Amino acid sequence: MAKTRVHNLFVSADGFAAGEYVTLVEPIGKAAALFSRFDGRVIHGIQGVDAPVTVDRALFSLWGQGIGAEIMGRRKFGPQEGPWPDEGWQGWWGEEPPFLTPTFVLTHHPREAISFENGTSFSFIDASPHEALALAQDAAGGLDVRLGGGPSSIREFLEADLVDFLHLAIVPVVLGAGVRFWDELEGLHERFDVETVSTASGLTHQLFNRRARG
């Protein structure tokens, strides 16, 4: 059965998963330290990467496996607020976004869809978590749907009880400010079985698997 999954969500030791703001120069605000141990080369698999197969890289590589669509919040797509400016912004990733699937961007402001030759497309939707997930599941064609962030969007789907799998990577840094991940998620552990793995890099991976609904 198709699942709704979150992968590679980096959270600081004090609970922040993004900076307070996003700019063209700082896509995640003052939170770049969260990605200091991330190897993005492996997101589509560890094959062809000239590096040891570590636990970190093995877990990072799950990001693209079996995914048919993604949902992301507007701040992951770009720094703009309000109505979309007429400036041709197509995301942070240039002409080859890494998603390779239909991708749904949550926004209150309409915009025409964008498509790329590598199979990535961006559709801009004003939808609740349930509505967005239904659209993504239809586009995924029976494969899983990935929730790509940021943390506020993922938290909304968790609050709506729509997440089947959640992979957190706890980073041993203290940010002191930013967007907190854990707020308003009291009792989350009661819905999931949680496994924890610490690695030589200093990361602590937490794998949340949704318990069977009674």
Side-chain angles (χ1 to χ4, degrees), residues 121-192:
S121 64
F122 292 108
S123 297
F124 303 88
I125 60 172
D126 185 1
S128 69
H130 284 88
E131 293 167 339
L133 183 56
L135 289 170
Q137 287 173 331
D138 185 60
L143 296 176
D144 290 352
V145 172
R146 182 177 55 236
L147 301 178
S152 298
S153 297
I154 292 172
R155 199 164 55 234
E156 289 180 1
F157 282 82
L158 284 166
E159 290 172 358
D161 199 16
L162 296 175
V163 178
D164 298 302
F165 174 79
L166 170 68
H167 167 215
L168 301 181
I170 311 301
V171 187
V173 300
V174 176
L175 295 181
V179 179
R180 291 187 57 82
F181 177 65
W182 295 112
D183 290 352
E184 301 179 5
L185 292 178
E186 295 86 353
L188 181 68
H189 63 284
E190 297 175 356
R191 291 187 268 142
F192 291 85

